[in-house]
Amino acid sequence: MFWSKDYIIERLSKIPRTLEDISIEVFEGVPHTNDFLQKAGLSSENCTDASCVCRDSHINVGIEQAGMEKELMYPYVDDSVSNEFTVQSTQYQFMVPYEILDNNIRKEYRIFQPEELKAKFPVAYKQLMEIKQQSMEIKQQSETETQELILADYRFENESFLRYINTPKIIITNNSRLQASYDPTGKNVFANGVGVVLGDPTLYLYVTAVLNSSIARAFPEVWNRKGVQSRGKLNSQMMKRFPIAFPKKEGIENIISTISRYLIYLNRQKQMAKAYAIPGYQELIDFYKRISDLLILDTYITNDLDPKLLDVLAENITASDGGFEYSDDINLLIGLQEIKKNILSSPDFGNCRFSNEFTNILATLKNNAVW
């Protein structure tokens, strides 16, 4: 049969299980409407000319010391950089004047009262006072108005993102397409994106691969047809409706999850290698992502890949226990290059064939700028 783009979209729209079904929470990040968005640029440990940028672009407060109390500072992520598979580090940190009270998946928290903040975290208190002063000057408020810091000056309008600080999550941003990063510690504060906390922690790597797959590029049109896309901006309601399909064949989910670990490692190394000009990362990223894409496409639509291909992949794509994807061992790059070589040189891999139906789907997606 001929698989038109409309028919593929229709098939995807009918997948019954969604991201919301397997999640504890799907939520948006730092509120965009907060007047005191404290994003501090701390580029070095002893920096003396760092700055704090607020939502109001007119406010830019210098920090006298980079030793702002670390208990209040969290790595900051936004959608200005590529965040595929692994969270891209930046020089920015985000001030959260709240105390996180427990180690459960869903956190209890409380905001520090002004006097307590002043006593325990004087640098942060002073910075907030400077921000308030500048804000009042910009707004030309009366000089007689109180200059004391009050809770409302630094409390977030929407605190839902605080419930999952220090909880593993997927952070999804939207540049030209969806990009998903797995944040295993959950310490990153993010804006312009959506966070996903899964009910089953073993699914994080598989779901991250699906969200980064080429097939996911078709879902904005799925959302449009369901009437959930709002102003072209990614939001939690859209992501809750993201269809999730799992492989029917045994072992494929594990292969995809393992490739996801490979890609986390490779993307991290590629980020760090910019200063060292070490070649080879993008070529390996493209190879493993292509294999993952084929498996995900088969999972979502066809379920008829050549068994020889699956046998070759199962034999070669393996991963030992432990967090190798967060290792800085350059020898792992050599190992991933060897795995690629073994796959391509396998006689069974060379003899693999795609069915006419599968080839037609690939062509349809490619011609419609999805693949």
Side-chain angles (χ1 to χ4, degrees):
M1 66 169 293
F2 177 75
W3 287 68
S4 68
K5 178 184 175 183
D6 286 343
Y7 185 67
I8 293 174
I9 296 297
E10 182 183 347
R11 284 283 300 271
L12 295 175
S13 300
K14 290 181 179 179
I15 295 173
R17 184 179 290 161
T18 67
L19 193 57
E20 183 176 24
D21 294 328
I22 64 171
S23 300
I24 292 175
E25 187 70 84
V26 180
F27 58 97
E28 292 170 43
V30 179
H32 303 281
T33 56
N34 199 88
D35 285 329
F36 292 91
L37 183 66
Q38 294 91 31
K39 186 177 74 171
L42 306 179
S43 56
S44 64
E45 184 67 25
N46 298 312
C47 171
T48 58
D49 59 353
S51 63
C52 172
V53 181
C54 300
R55 184 180 67 86
D56 190 328
S57 61
H58 297 290
I59 301 176
N60 194 323
V61 181
I63 302 174
E64 291 186 356
Q65 62 183 59
M68 189 188 303
E69 295 87 359
K70 293 183 179 179
E71 301 94 319
L72 301 184
M73 303 305 296
Y74 291 81
Y76 179 77
V77 177
D78 63 22
D79 62 357
S80 63
V81 293
S82 175
N83 294 296
E84 191 172 70
F85 285 96
T86 182
V87 178
Q88 181 158 334
S89 60
T90 69
Q91 70 180 40
Y92 295 112
Q93 297 186 44
F94 194 91
M95 185 167 67
V96 180
Y98 289 74
E99 183 179 19
I100 310 300
L101 297 174
D102 59 51
N103 293 316
N104 295 323
I105 291 177
R106 183 182 172 114
K107 303 294 188 290
E108 297 292 333
Y109 59 88
R110 70 177 185 88
I111 189 168
F112 288 109
Q113 299 294 319
E115 288 305 312
E116 184 182 11
L117 191 70
K118 183 177 182 179
K120 289 185 177 180
F121 306 101
V123 179
Y125 181 87
K126 180 179 179 182
Q127 182 184 335
L128 287 168
M129 284 293 295
E130 291 182 15
I131 292 172
K132 181 174 183 180
Q133 178 64 33
Q134 283 202 28
S135 179
M136 292 175 63
E137 290 175 356
I138 290 170
K139 294 176 181 177
Q140 297 180 337
Q141 294 180 345
S142 170
E143 294 182 2
T144 60
E145 185 171 346
T146 176
Q147 296 298 304
E148 292 181 359
L149 198 65
I150 60 175
L151 209 61
D153 286 332
Y154 58 93
R155 183 165 200 155
F156 295 109
E157 295 176 11
N158 178 5
E159 298 174 344
S160 61
F161 76 97
L162 292 167
R163 298 170 187 159
Y164 299 102
I165 280 185
N166 299 336
T167 296
K169 64 177 69 69
I170 297 172
I171 300 174
I172 305 166
T173 56
N174 186 21
N175 293 304
S176 58
R177 58 184 174 85
L178 292 182
Q179 292 181 305
S181 308
Y182 179 44
D183 179 12
T185 62
K187 291 184 177 180
N188 290 277
V189 172
F190 62 95
N192 303 320
V194 174
V196 180
V197 176
L198 297 180
D200 182 352
T202 66
L203 296 179
Y204 274 115
L205 295 166
Y206 174 78
V207 173
T208 300
V210 169
L211 292 169
N212 285 321
S213 69
S214 295
I215 193 67
R217 299 180 195 175
F219 287 119
E221 189 155 345
V222 174
W223 290 324
N224 262 332
R225 296 187 185 191
K226 290 184 177 182
V228 296
Q229 190 163 9
S230 174
R231 302 182 302 279
K233 180 181 175 184
L234 186 68
N235 59 56
S236 58
Q237 290 304 311
M238 292 165 61
M239 289 310 308
K240 287 177 181 179
R241 301 285 292 274
F242 189 102
I244 293 292
F246 292 97
K248 295 179 181 178
K249 296 176 183 176
E250 185 178 356
I252 294 181
E253 184 179 326
N254 184 58
I255 293 174
I256 295 172
S257 295
T258 301
I259 292 176
S260 189
R261 296 180 69 187
Y262 292 177
L263 290 167
I264 289 173
Y265 168 79
L266 290 168
N267 278 285
R268 285 184 72 251
Q269 292 301 315
K270 180 185 174 184
Q271 292 168 18
M272 293 186 289
K274 288 179 180 178
Y276 306 105
I278 301 175
Y281 292 109
Q282 191 59 52
E283 183 180 340
L284 279 177
I285 288 170
D286 292 342
F287 173 76
Y288 286 114
K289 197 163 184 296
R290 182 77 168 180
I291 296 294
S292 178
D293 280 348
L294 288 173
L295 296 176
I296 291 168
L297 176 61
D298 184 57
T299 296
Y300 269 76
I301 297 181
T302 58
N303 195 34
D304 68 349
L305 276 181
D306 191 328
K308 292 179 182 178
L309 172 62
L310 302 180
D311 290 342
V312 171
L313 297 179
E315 181 180 350
N316 289 280
I317 296 177
T318 59
S320 59
D321 294 334
F324 80 88
E325 58 267 47
Y326 301 102
S327 169
D328 294 332
D329 186 356
I330 196 66
N331 289 322
L332 289 173
L333 176 65
I334 299 173
L336 294 180
Q337 289 171 330
E338 191 66 22
I339 290 172
K340 174 188 173 183
K341 178 181 177 182
N342 291 341
I343 291 173
L344 294 178
S345 62
S346 169
D348 284 339
F349 184 83
N351 293 327
C352 289
R353 295 290 181 269
F354 293 130
S355 67
N356 290 335
E357 184 176 53
F358 198 93
T359 303
N360 174 248
I361 294 171
L362 289 175
T364 301
L365 294 174
K366 183 175 181 180
N367 291 337
N368 285 279
V370 172
W371 188 261

